[in-house]
């Protein structure tokens, strides 16, 4: 095991070692997190709509916990498929306007399971270079050819589709909103290409579900493309504030996944209470349009305050706001200084993002007030000048 100490030392020297840092909730203040006895404004959570502490969701989970117990006891294909699952999947299909839906334990397992079920050796997956790691791992596990196209570069994708046109099955897969950059996929162009080349199209709405669309259905609905997307994936762990993931699509897709998606088949069903909590969260996501409006207002004012301060931030209008610093050591010091000043703003380093693009990834929530965010942007500016990040 000596190799491990050596490699850990190398990681630490490159400012690339990660560690688990304890955070506590601040009761009654959902936009904050507690660390080392201090209360910090939380600019690094995916609780976009502020549902992680929603009383109605807590109550739904509590009731089901009392009636159904703590665990499902088996995989869904055995005896774990309790009634909360059946109800939730019906509501999901209605919400998305598709034939059928399937709940899978989390987004990571949904992506690895679905990609593994759709393609195998001899097939090809076209994947945006900035897609989430769970998509990358799904392609690797599937043993299909992993063909990565330059981020949002549709000419590059087209040339690759041409090059691999004689492969058996083709799958194009993309994040709808990119998790570390906050920009959107070119969904219209992707739909046109998938039709032209007879490929399947899978869209991961982890960072757009709940946020876009009139009822929070996601970016595909916002753009009116929902019927063009073959495999629609999203999570309950971000906007929904809970945990878990869904796949929506045709009846045959869901039938296929029930038979072939290994993370569904070989893993215990989520606890029924959690599934009931997700159902309640779905009701809130659909009904509380004001949360989407507040989030979009928060994103606009935070983005424009940072730009006015002189920072160059990523494109788009999403609540994910990347501030690229570049160097790993500098980004860690910057994040540390922000924490000293009352802001939880975590540094994101390679391999999560490409080399040389270490960044602070701010992510906002509907529970943040515009005033809090403008003050935060001011604090980020002052700290940035002190650190030499902003000149
Ligand atoms: C977070 C995330 C996932 C994984 O979802 P979990 O439910 O947290 O496992 C998948 N895809 C994208 C784009 C994500 O950002």
């Amino acid at each position: 095991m000596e190799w491990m100490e050596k490699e850990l030392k190398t990681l630490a020297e490159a400012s690339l070692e990660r560690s688990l840092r304890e955070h506590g909730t601040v009761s009654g203040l959902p936009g904050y997190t507690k660390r080392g006895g201090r209360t910090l404004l939380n600019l690094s959570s995916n609780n976009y709509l502020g549902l992680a502490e929603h009383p109605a969701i807590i109550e739904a989970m509590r009731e089901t916990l009392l009636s159904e117990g703590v665990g499902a006891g088996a995989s869904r294909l055995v005896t774990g498929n309790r009634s909360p699952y059946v109800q939730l999947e019906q509501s999901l299909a209605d919400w998305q306007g598709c034939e059928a839906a399937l709940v899978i334990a989390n987004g990571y397992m949904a992506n690895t399971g679905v990609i593994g079920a759709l393609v195998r050796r001899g097939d090809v997956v076209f994947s945006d270079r900035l897609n989430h790691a769970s998509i990358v791992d799904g392609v690797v596990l599937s043993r299909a050819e992993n063909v990565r196209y330059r981020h949002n570069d549709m000419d590059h994708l087209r040339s690759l589709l041409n090059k691999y046109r004689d492969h058996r099955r083709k799958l194009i897969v993309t994040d709808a909103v990119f998790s570390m950059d906050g920009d959107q996929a070119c969904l219209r162009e992707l739909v046109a290409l998938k039709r032209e080349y007879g490929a399947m199209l899978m869209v991961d709405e982890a960072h757009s579900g709940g946020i876009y669309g009139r009822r929070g259905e996601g970016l595909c609905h916002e753009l009116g493309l929902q019927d063009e997307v073959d495999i629609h994936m999203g999570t309950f762990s971000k906007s929904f504030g809970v945990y878990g993931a869904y796949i929506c699509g045709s009846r045959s897709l869901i039938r296929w996944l029930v038979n072939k998606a290994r993370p569904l088949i070989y893993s215990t069903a989520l606890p029924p209470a959690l599934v009931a909590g997700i159902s309640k969260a779905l009701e809130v996501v659909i009904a509380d349009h004001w949360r989407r409006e507040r989030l979009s207002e928060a994103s606009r004012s935070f983005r424009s305050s940072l730009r006015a301060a002189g920072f160059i931030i990523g494109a788009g209008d999403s609540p994910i706001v990347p501030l690229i610093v570049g160097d790993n050591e500098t980004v860690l010091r910057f994040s540390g200084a922000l924490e000293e000043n009352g802001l939880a703003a975590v540094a994101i380093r390679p391999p999560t993002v490409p080399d040389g693009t270490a960044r602070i990834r701010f992510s906002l929530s509907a529970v943040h007030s515009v005033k809090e965010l403008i003050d935060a942007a001011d604090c980020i500016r002052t700290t940035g000048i002190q650190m030499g990040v902003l000149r």
Side-chain angles (χ1 to χ4, degrees), residues 48 68 79 81 103 105-106 120 130 139 146 161 170 204 209 226 263 271 292 303 314 322 338 343 356-357 368:
Y48 297 120
E68 298 276 333
T79 54
N81 192 40
V103 174
N106 57 49
R120 56 187 159 94
L130 296 189
V139 182
N146 187 7
L161 280 160
K170 304 177 198 69
D204 176 338
Q226 64 274 14
R292 282 183 276 285
R303 282 172 172 273
L338 291 172
L343 303 179
T357 71
H368 292 136

Side-chain angles (χ1 to χ4, degrees), residues 8-86:
L8 281 169
K9 191 155 160 277
T10 312
L11 270 183
E13 281 164 5
S15 298
L16 284 174
E17 186 182 355
R18 282 125 160 110
S19 62
L20 298 170
R21 312 194 312 155
E22 183 178 347
H23 282 263
T25 46
V26 189
S27 157
L29 282 178
Y32 289 78
T33 182
K34 196 173 247 169
R35 215 178 106 64
R38 295 177 59 232
T39 297
L40 309 171
L41 184 71
N42 192 351
L43 297 178
S44 287
S45 110
N46 296 320
N47 182 19
Y48 297 120
L49 299 180
L51 300 186
E53 298 178 340
H54 193 288
I57 302 173
I58 295 173
E59 188 50 32
M61 289 179 74
R62 205 179 64 88
E63 271 173 24
T64 313
L65 195 57
L66 296 177
S67 63
E68 298 276 333
V70 292
S75 114
R76 293 187 64 189
L77 284 168
V78 182
T79 54
N81 192 40
R82 307 304 181 81
S83 49
Y85 267 109
V86 180

Side-chain angles (χ1 to χ4, degrees), residues 106-108 111 132 134 175 177 179 204 206-207 233 235 237-238 243-245:
N106 57 49
Y108 187 94
N111 279 339
H132 191 260
S134 56
D175 287 16
V177 166
S179 56
D204 176 338
H207 295 281
M233 176 271 180
T235 71
S237 37
K238 285 154 185 162
Y243 185 78

Side-chain angles (χ1 to χ4, degrees), residues 305-377:
S305 306
L306 283 186
R307 285 209 178 93
F311 287 111
I312 298 165
I313 52 171
D317 62 354
S318 79
I320 300 169
V321 184
L323 200 169
I324 295 181
V325 173
D327 175 63
N328 301 330
E329 202 250 319
T330 313
V331 80
L332 280 184
R333 282 195 297 116
F334 190 29
S335 168
L338 291 172
E339 183 172 324
E340 286 300 311
N341 292 322
L343 303 179
V346 170
I348 307 284
R349 290 163 286 163
T352 307
V353 292
D355 279 330
T357 71
R359 66 197 68 185
I360 305 284
R361 171 191 182 266
F362 297 106
S363 48
L364 311 175
S365 168
V367 296
H368 292 136
S369 72
V370 166
K371 163 115 183 28
E372 280 170 330
L373 294 174
I374 290 177
D375 290 351

